Amino acid sequence: MEAQHLAGEDEPLVRRLNGGPSTREGIEAYFRHCRDQWDTAGPLRAFGIRTGADEVLAGTIDLRFAGEDLAPGQVNVAYGLYPSWRGRGPAIRAVLLASEYAASEGGVEAVIQVEPENPASAAVAQRAGFAPGTPTHSSDGTRFDWYTRDLHAAAR
């Protein structure tokens, strides 16, 4: 899976999600961290987005049950698709499935934070039933438009 992830990474994923180009060693360490989070019931739940009969890795999605600017019960949803899968719908399905999981784990409200320069991600949020919220700024000053969804509705 590490090789698939490295092969699918492009400049937008590096800039928006990874903070820099990945290396095999970095990906392996991150995957170990993700497994540890699952094993210890930590605040991160990371998933691969797979699609098709052969379950090709199309991207990733993660849930953070705690973090900067999140109120108790809020769950941050972050996703990224590899270039060949963008615009084909798997991100919307992944967001919906992840929202159901977050609700089953006690999440009250899902939050998707989108840079204003990323209208495709905002469209995914809106198509998945998220409503525009109040924009925020991260500690480094980056503006994020917030999209939120009541997770009680997601659990139905």
Side-chain angles (χ1 to χ4, degrees):
M1 189 153 91
E2 292 92 348
Q4 291 173 319
H5 180 74
L6 284 170
E9 206 174 57
D10 67 347
E11 188 276 329
L13 280 178
V14 167
R15 185 169 39 85
R16 291 191 175 113
L17 292 180
N18 300 349
S22 295
T23 63
R24 178 176 275 302
E25 296 78 21
I27 295 282
E28 289 171 354
Y30 180 69
F31 285 179
R32 282 192 303 273
H33 173 70
C34 292
R35 281 190 296 272
D36 181 59
Q37 289 289 291
W38 279 98
D39 291 345
T40 62
L44 170 66
R45 297 290 181 281
F47 302 87
I49 300 172
R50 296 187 171 276
T51 188
D54 50 357
E55 296 188 357
V56 172
L57 185 64
T60 61
I61 186 164
D62 69 63
L63 302 173
R64 294 197 185 263
F65 288 84
E68 182 180 342
D69 295 329
L70 293 179
Q74 286 184 319
V75 180
N76 190 73
V77 181
Y79 47 86
L81 290 178
Y82 306 135
S84 63
W85 293 101
R86 293 182 191 140
R88 297 173 59 185
I92 297 165
R93 179 167 164 69
V95 167
L96 293 171
L97 290 170
S99 294
E100 288 177 20
Y101 175 80
S104 76
E105 291 295 306
V108 175
E109 182 177 59
V111 175
I112 295 175
Q113 300 179 55
V114 179
E115 293 176 336
E117 301 79 27
N118 189 358
S121 190
V124 167
Q126 291 175 316
R127 288 185 184 129
F130 286 66
T134 304
T136 63
H137 291 82
S138 67
S139 58
D140 70 1
T142 303
R143 177 192 159 134
F144 288 97
D145 293 333
W146 274 39
Y147 294 85
T148 61
R149 181 172 186 211
D150 177 356
L151 287 175
H152 296 295
R156 291 183 203 149

